[in-house]
Amino acid sequence: MVPDNPIRSEREFQDILRRLELALDASQIGVWEHDLDRNVISWDAQMHRLYRTGRSSGPVATAVWSDAIHPDDRLRAEEEFDDAVVSRGQYNSEFRIIWPNGEIRYIRSRAHFYVSDEGRPSFIGAEWDVTADVLLNDEAARQRSVAEARALALEESNARIEYAAEHDYLTGLPNRRLFDSRLAELAEMPHVSTLAVLHLDLDQFKQINDSHGHTAGDAVLRAAALRIEAAIPETAMAARIGGDEFVIVLVNFGGMAALNRIAKDVQRRLKKKVRFGQELLQSGASIGISWSANRGEANLLAESDIALYQAKASGRDRIEFFSQQLKDDLMSKRRLAEELTLALESGDIVPFYQLQFDARTREIVGIEALARWKHPERGILAPGTFLKVADEYNLSAELDATILRRVLADRRSWERHGAKVPHIAVNISGQRLYDPLLVDDLVALKIAPNSIVFELIETIFLDDCDDELLQRVDRIKQMGIEIEIDDFGSGHASLIGLVRLRPTRLKIDRQLVDEIDTSEEQRRVVKSIVEIAKALDVGVIAEGVETEAHAAVLADLGCETLQGFALSHPASAAEVSGVFARLAAQASRGRL
Ligand code: C2E
Ligand code: CA
Ligand code: CA
């Protein structure tokens, strides 16, 4: 009900009316009245303007109103009005109307039920255009939702960045960073009584990568990650911390036997072949383990790394536990490798020379250069004390190169003094043979043809007598360097490999010579080696000739050249120089 306004006089009433009209005009609010009995609507001028009827006042049919409403809003607006009629209460609505020019406007409408002076039920109401407000609200809402979407995206990308920072993209495993922080956390946890780190390195991963390509390598890494995860208990965590390096941290596992069992299981799974397209790839794993019952005290990761190093050094597919002894040994090997590096630089690694003789005439027909370390404190060291370390620390190629340079220098110096120097054999490690710099180095050294022999150990050909190797050897031969197979008969060089490689000479291993004067069997073996060599048109030399008896049997069996303590010991360049000087003196006396 409209509240009664106590109107005191006609003038006062006119005054209020005038002010109301001004206010309505200013606010652009339209006023309407709906006579429910007669169903007639009267609009004031502002209402006509709001709806763009083109008229300025007067009653309108209800259809004028409802036709103007946007079809999507029409039913609702009408229902709301009907509800207000039924309840004889308030009418409060908002809807869109469409102007004759097609423009859409938003209208708010409010009205009251009342009974007119004539006693007829009516609604009187006001309407105004809220388009600007609505559009503003819409825009605000749109901006809000854009901002919300942006915030969400940012949150997601932050989460992604965080995940990527702690995980390995290839396998999805935690990376080194997450592993480190997890290990540190575990070490502090009161319920963690034992903690272990298993450090894994895939065997032959490099070969798979090199010969089958990186995608194959990736497939092997992914398979390895899945298999490791499958092998470890729920409470354990696996991480990939390097190319083909994985670590596993285990808690409360119950002792060394359990660790060993888990490590073996991981190894067994990793040995299974991985399918890659048409191919089956096989790797395996070496594992180093460190564990501690006194939490937090030890540096488990570093220790497991030391154990892993040992596992790899002792061959593939090994499991090794960390111990203080292991660490001490490793440290002293490392020190030795450092010392050796310095010795190579400072010229303390020199060749000693052992002469080789014709089995029948006992003429000097060759020399083998053997590396010696002139150690400032320990005296002259034989290769047995440093070759393994050189090999492990990749110093062998440098060692061989150093020896060759010294050999060539010594040779030139002897020749300058008038000596007639036979060919000199140098030992070539696998590392040196596969050294990419080898051929260029040799070219630069301008080696005179037939002055140098390369002794290649038989086991080099065991693994792979492949085309690459044959090409390298051919290249070396083209430079006038002879090839000798060292320690022949100790390994398992295949005859096929031998035929393809076509060495100048075979050097019969010391162990076969050892009992040659007493063992019929050894004689037979050496005899057949000599026969094979003859058939292939390859020369034969025997080493380790310690007695005249050895020398006699070997000469008898057809071995052309002899080397050993019976005939000469390895000696320094100066001593050999003396030998050449004496020989030259003898020769000139002979000529007199
Ligand atoms: P190797 O090539 O089989 O060399 C022969 C070894 O037998 C030498 O040991 C030599 O001193 C020793 N020897 C010579 N005659 C006799 C004998 O009648 N009886 C016995 N029992 N031994 C004899 P060395 O000098 O200690 O060298 C050991 C190994 O170290 C060599 O075996 C060779 O494989 C390697 N080596 C030596 N110098 C070099 C080098 O410059 N580079 C590389 N990569 N390896 C080298
Ligand atoms: Ca040799
Ligand atoms: Ca040998």
Side-chain angles (χ1 to χ4, degrees):
M1 290 295 264
V2 179
D4 293 298
N5 285 326
I7 294 165
R8 278 176 228 110
S9 72
E10 176 63 18
R11 226 183 44 136
E12 233 177 338
F13 176 72
Q14 288 301 336
D15 197 35
I16 288 168
L17 207 61
R18 192 175 47 80
R19 276 192 289 171
L20 188 62
E21 259 167 24
L22 279 172
L24 284 173
D25 213 32
S27 64
Q28 299 190 324
I29 292 173
V31 176
W32 55 268
E33 195 176 345
H34 192 147
D35 181 332
L36 294 175
D37 277 356
R38 290 192 284 173
N39 202 23
V40 169
I41 305 176
S42 2
W43 281 0
D44 71 353
Q46 180 57 28
M47 278 300 288
H48 284 287
R49 274 199 295 278
L50 267 181
Y51 280 76
R52 296 277 155 104
T53 58
R55 291 162 52 195
S56 59
S57 66
V60 289
T62 51
V64 172
W65 175 66
S66 52
D67 285 352
I69 298 177
H70 193 293
D72 290 351
D73 295 354
R74 192 175 294 145
L75 199 65
R76 178 181 52 81
E78 284 174 343
E79 274 172 8
E80 280 167 357
F81 187 68
D82 291 345
D83 289 349
V85 170
V86 170
S87 68
R88 301 197 153 202
Q90 303 239 1
Y91 168 68
N92 190 354
S93 183
E94 193 180 302
F95 45 82
R96 288 167 296 174
I97 60 170
I98 303 176
W99 279 351
N101 69 359
E103 200 177 314
I104 292 173
R105 307 297 296 179
Y106 291 81
I107 300 294
R108 163 102 22 102
S109 182
R110 282 166 172 260
H112 267 296
F113 176 80
Y114 89 107
V115 180
S116 70
D117 292 348
E118 295 95 57
R120 276 200 293 274
S122 307
F123 268 87
I124 182 141
E127 268 179 29
W128 62 99
D129 189 318
V130 292
T131 306
D133 292 353
V134 169
L135 292 182
L136 210 64
N137 277 342
D138 280 0
E139 175 60 16
R142 199 184 62 76
Q143 281 184 4
R144 215 169 25 246
S145 76
V146 167
E148 273 165 16
R150 277 211 194 109
L152 198 70
L154 195 67
E155 213 170 283
E156 274 172 10
S157 86
N158 278 344
R160 256 201 311 278
I161 288 167
E162 202 171 303
Y163 184 86
E166 295 193 321
H167 290 80
D168 162 39
Y169 71 97
L170 185 68
T171 61
L173 288 183
N175 63 13
R176 171 72 191 262
R177 196 166 132 184
L178 185 53
F179 174 80
D180 281 346
S181 63
R182 185 83 186 116
L183 187 60
E185 267 171 36
L186 286 170
E188 295 301 319
M189 284 182 178
H191 72 274
V192 172
S193 57
T194 50
L195 202 56
V197 171
L198 275 63
H199 208 137
L200 265 95
D201 190 297
L202 298 187
D203 295 330
Q204 286 184 304
F205 181 72
K206 195 179 170 309
Q207 285 95 313
I208 291 174
N209 240 353
D210 288 351
S211 53
H212 299 270
H214 284 268
T215 21
D218 286 356
V220 169
L221 289 172
R222 272 197 223 99
L226 288 173
R227 291 170 183 184
I228 291 168
E229 291 234 279
I232 59 177
E234 206 117 284
T235 52
M237 171 173 145
R240 178 174 171 230
I241 62 167
D244 61 343
E245 254 180 86
F246 295 87
V247 281
I248 301 165
V249 58
L250 293 163
V251 291
N252 303 346
F253 42 83
M256 218 160 140
L259 282 179
N260 208 26
R261 204 179 54 244
I262 293 171
K264 280 222 162 79
D265 186 35
V266 169
Q267 253 183 351
R268 186 181 56 78
R269 289 167 190 256
L270 292 181
K271 231 182 296 180
K272 292 206 176 121
K273 295 199 168 82
V274 176
R275 181 167 282 290
F276 177 70
Q278 300 294 336
E279 291 167 290
L280 288 173
L281 308 173
Q282 178 154 35
S283 75
S286 302
I287 303 180
I289 304 176
S290 178
W291 66 291
S292 155
N294 345 333
R295 299 171 284 114
E297 192 185 79
N299 188 351
L300 291 178
L301 186 61
E303 290 179 357
S304 67
D305 194 28
I306 290 171
L308 173 62
Y309 185 89
Q310 183 58 34
K312 284 193 90 76
S314 37
R316 290 173 191 146
D317 205 25
R318 297 290 183 103
I319 296 171
E320 202 73 50
F321 279 83
F322 172 82
S323 69
Q324 192 53 45
Q325 182 64 47
L326 204 63
K327 187 173 175 180
D328 294 346
D329 289 353
L330 185 74
M331 298 295 270
S332 60
K333 266 201 284 189
R334 221 170 256 172
R335 260 197 306 276
L336 189 65
E338 279 162 18
E339 264 190 274
L340 181 59
T341 309
L342 292 177
L344 282 165
E345 283 165 10
S346 62
D348 286 344
I349 304 295
V350 299
F352 264 39
Y353 296 97
Q354 189 175 25
L355 303 174
Q356 300 167 338
F357 299 85
D358 183 287
R360 283 179 302 109
T361 66
R362 295 295 171 93
E363 262 180 306
I364 297 171
V365 290
I367 304 175
E368 178 175 11
L370 297 158
R372 294 293 182 268
W373 183 348
K374 291 202 286 185
H375 196 280
E377 287 129 36
R378 296 160 65 193
I380 306 274
L381 301 180
T385 54
F386 57 85
L387 265 192
K388 256 186 82 172
V389 165
D391 202 48
E392 243 178 68
Y393 286 83
N394 291 323
L395 296 169
S396 296
E398 185 52 39
L399 172 79
D400 293 353
T402 304
I403 292 295
L404 178 60
R405 280 194 301 270
R406 295 292 290 246
V407 163
L408 291 170
D410 285 342
R411 183 182 182 97
R412 273 194 299 274
S413 148
W414 294 331
E415 283 174 340
R416 264 201 310 277
H417 288 92
K420 202 172 152 295
V421 186
H423 61 230
I424 306 179
V426 294
N427 292 280
I428 297 292
S429 60
Q431 274 174 30
R432 177 61 169 160
L433 189 61
Y434 284 100
D435 184 355
L437 300 174
L438 177 67
V439 171
D440 287 346
D441 274 6
L442 294 178
V443 170
L445 287 172
K446 298 200 174 65
I447 297 169
N450 305 319
S451 65
I452 293 294
V453 176
F454 275 8
E455 286 193 16
L456 310 180
I457 207 152
E458 184 184 11
T459 47
I460 292 180
F461 312 103
L462 251 184
D463 300 337
D464 29 26
C465 184
D466 56 13
D467 289 343
E468 195 206 332
L469 180 105
L470 289 173
Q471 274 171 18
R472 285 181 156 259
V473 169
D474 268 345
R475 198 67 191 86
I476 293 166
K477 282 188 193 163
Q478 281 161 23
M479 282 186 257
I481 296 172
E482 294 179 344
I483 301 292
E484 216 166 277
I485 309 281
D486 203 355
D487 297 348
F488 191 79
S490 68
H492 316 80
S494 73
L495 279 177
I496 298 170
L498 203 59
V499 171
R500 292 177 70 193
L501 198 76
R502 292 253 157 219
T504 319
R505 235 169 271 109
L506 298 182
K507 195 170 197 181
I508 296 173
D509 190 56
R510 225 179 17 245
Q511 288 173 58
L512 291 177
V513 172
D514 204 21
E515 290 168 20
I516 201 158
D517 50 338
T518 51
S519 155
E520 174 58 31
E521 197 190 332
Q522 295 224 333
R523 264 201 299 279
R524 269 205 307 273
V525 173
V526 172
K527 190 167 190 286
S528 53
I529 291 178
V530 172
E531 276 163 8
I532 289 168
K534 294 262 143 71
L536 294 172
D537 196 20
V538 166
V540 181
I541 173 171
E543 65 180 351
V545 182
E546 293 186 346
T547 62
E548 273 304 325
H550 285 160
V553 176
L554 286 162
D556 198 39
L557 289 173
C559 179
E560 302 134 11
T561 315
L562 306 177
Q563 177 185 344
F565 295 162
L567 305 157
S568 128
H569 281 265
S572 71
E575 288 173 278
V576 175
S577 160
V579 170
F580 283 129
R582 272 197 302 283
L583 283 174
Q586 270 171 24
S588 63
R589 267 201 307 278
R591 274 199 300 274
L592 284 175

